[in-house]
Amino acid sequence: MNDIIIIGAGPAGMTAAIYTVRKGYSVLVISKDVGGQTLWSSGVENYPGFRLITGMDLMRKFEEHMESFPVKQVFAEVTGIESESEGFSVHTGDGQVYQGRAIIIATGKSPRMLGVPGEEQFKGRGVAYCAICDAPLFAGLPVAVIGAGNSGLQAALQLLKICPQVTLVESSSRAAGDKVYTDRLQREGGDRFRLMLDTGVVRIDGDTMVRSITVEGPEGRKVLDVNGVFVEVGWTPSSGFAGEMLNLTSRGEILVDCFGHTSRPGILAAGDVTEVPKQIIIAAGEGAKAALAANDYLLRLEAMPPLLVNQDTGLDPR
Ligand SMILES: Cc1cc2nc3c(=O)[nH]c(=O)nc-3n(C[C@H](O)[C@H](O)[C@H](O)COP(=O)(O)OP(=O)(O)OC[C@H]3O[C@@H](n4cnc5c(N)ncnc54)[C@H](O)[C@@H]3O)c2cc1C
């Protein structure tokens, strides 16, 4: 039995780990990776103390800090949480089960997928979700960007620097991103840039790599010869494994109060998986708040006779 299980090792989870282990608790961090989305950032300029630092370097510093304390770590995907008489059990994709008296969920968010045939098959073989990370792999190749929000427009601008042809495919009738980016794309792209509005992706095809996408728009179906497909259609909170246990917003973010309490006593949440603005310093701060709330929860639990905690709901009837 661990005192606290933290799910996710981005800025929120690692900060929560540092705070809770310093209180003397046994802390287990279960995460798919260490660093989270910040690893994808090529330059962070708004984390105080660092004028400019790559996301990877910043996360390495968080990791070194966390690992200077006796924090246990498991690399796995959490698939479910269950209430138990003495706390919670956390299930992972590899069939393991871990017990904790309190849980902090800090699982952030992940890119939304298109859900079309070929997407899953060519993930990592032409289908990419992070232009900042993967654009250099497509130098000299024709590519498509799906989604004309700010992320899609910025991805297209970045790709234009190295790709001979960039097609931006958008399902609605106008680009949702800032005009400054669309203007720049038209100006800098010239013939090498094409914007297809009211157009959806039907399928992705290829052999060992992506070779084409089929799109459907005002002029019917078309096959575009591309070797890269950058999917930039938004993000979704990584809360699926906890959805049945906790109250979520309509967007799937975990509802928390200003201390990080979820709708379930003993389960806290922090960072991008909740409703807060999505920034590193905010995620770290929210991780610290959730850690302090977990501390309060465990102190109160220790101070009360065990039978007063309702074993089904985890609620203290007092
Ligand atoms: C390209 C890019 C650039 C950015 N640049 C900046 C910037 O310059 N400045 C800034 O302030 N913010 C920036 N951000 C936003 C910032 O990265 C996020 O707000 C921040 O990472 C959120 O931290 P988090 O800990 O809440 O979640 P995340 O960083 O998403 O970490 C979540 C962690 O949970 C793990 N996880 C998820 N699901 C599971 C599961 N089921 N089981 C186990 N583990 C799981 C993940 O592997 C990860 O380790 C950027 C984001 C991106 C994508």
Side-chain angles (χ1 to χ4, degrees):
M1 174 65 83
N2 302 278
D3 290 325
I4 300 174
I5 294 182
I6 297 168
I7 309 172
M14 286 196 276
T15 305
I18 291 166
Y19 267 70
T20 47
V21 77
R22 287 188 70 250
K23 298 261 180 215
Y25 291 117
S26 61
V27 177
L28 170 66
V29 176
I30 307 177
S31 188
K32 292 192 283 188
D33 65 26
V34 178
Q37 297 161 63
T38 307
L39 297 173
W40 299 6
S41 176
S42 52
V44 177
E45 283 190 316
N46 56 5
Y47 195 82
F50 300 95
R51 172 62 189 83
L52 173 65
I53 186 165
T54 65
M56 200 168 274
D57 284 347
L58 183 60
M59 288 302 97
R60 196 169 298 133
K61 286 180 187 295
F62 270 58
E63 185 180 1
E64 283 165 9
H65 191 165
M66 177 178 76
E67 288 183 349
S68 69
F69 296 108
V71 173
K72 289 171 276 172
Q73 287 184 69
V74 164
F75 289 96
E77 175 167 9
V78 170
T79 50
I81 303 176
E82 276 174 13
S83 230
E84 303 253 320
S85 56
E86 304 224 336
F88 303 93
S89 59
V90 174
H91 298 254
T92 54
D94 52 8
Q96 300 294 314
V97 183
Y98 302 88
Q99 259 88 32
R101 295 200 294 143
I103 308 286
I104 298 176
I105 301 176
T107 42
K109 56 185 171 36
S110 43
R112 193 168 284 142
M113 294 179 62
L114 291 173
V116 298
E119 181 178 25
E120 194 62 48
Q121 185 187 349
F122 292 107
K123 221 189 247 181
R125 294 193 289 135
V127 175
Y129 298 85
C130 175
I132 289 169
C133 330
D134 295 338
L137 304 173
F138 295 83
L141 300 173
V143 295
V145 176
I146 318 302
N150 277 335
S151 316
L153 297 176
Q154 286 178 41
L157 274 169
Q158 193 182 344
L159 289 158
L160 261 179
K161 291 185 190 149
I162 52 170
C163 299
Q165 182 75 45
V166 176
T167 305
L168 183 54
V169 179
E170 165 60 43
S171 58
S172 61
S173 57
R174 58 181 287 275
D178 296 345
K179 187 169 174 308
V180 61
Y181 294 130
T182 40
D183 288 351
R184 258 188 74 190
L185 279 166
Q186 305 284 4
R187 199 172 57 241
E188 293 174 19
D191 290 349
R192 297 193 300 117
F193 173 69
R194 172 171 44 170
L195 175 60
M196 300 181 86
L197 294 172
D198 287 317
T199 302
V201 179
V202 177
R203 56 179 299 117
I204 300 170
D205 289 293
D207 37 50
T208 54
M209 293 293 292
V210 167
R211 299 289 169 205
S212 67
I213 60 172
T214 305
V215 297
E216 184 152 27
E219 293 159 25
R221 282 198 176 194
K222 271 189 180 166
V223 176
L224 310 178
D225 294 330
V226 294
N227 298 117
V229 186
F230 286 83
V231 180
E232 300 282 353
V233 292
W235 293 75
T236 181
S238 305
S239 59
F241 61 89
E244 302 215 330
M245 250 196 154
L246 305 177
N247 290 346
L248 306 179
T249 67
S250 56
R251 288 194 299 272
E253 292 159 326
I254 298 175
L255 270 173
V256 288
D257 67 11
C258 61
F259 298 99
H261 298 118
T262 66
S263 52
R264 191 98 185 177
I267 303 185
L268 299 304
D272 279 15
V273 74
T274 71
E275 267 191 300
V276 296
K278 314 306 186 208
Q279 288 288 285
I280 302 164
I281 188 147
I282 293 173
E286 295 287 308
K289 280 164 61 181
L292 296 177
N295 177 47
D296 286 349
Y297 171 79
L298 290 178
L299 288 178
R300 269 187 280 121
L301 210 61
E302 281 155 18
M304 81 177 61
L307 281 179
L308 283 183
V309 177
N310 181 314
Q311 306 215 333
D312 291 330
T313 62
L315 289 171
D316 170 8
R318 293 171 297 179

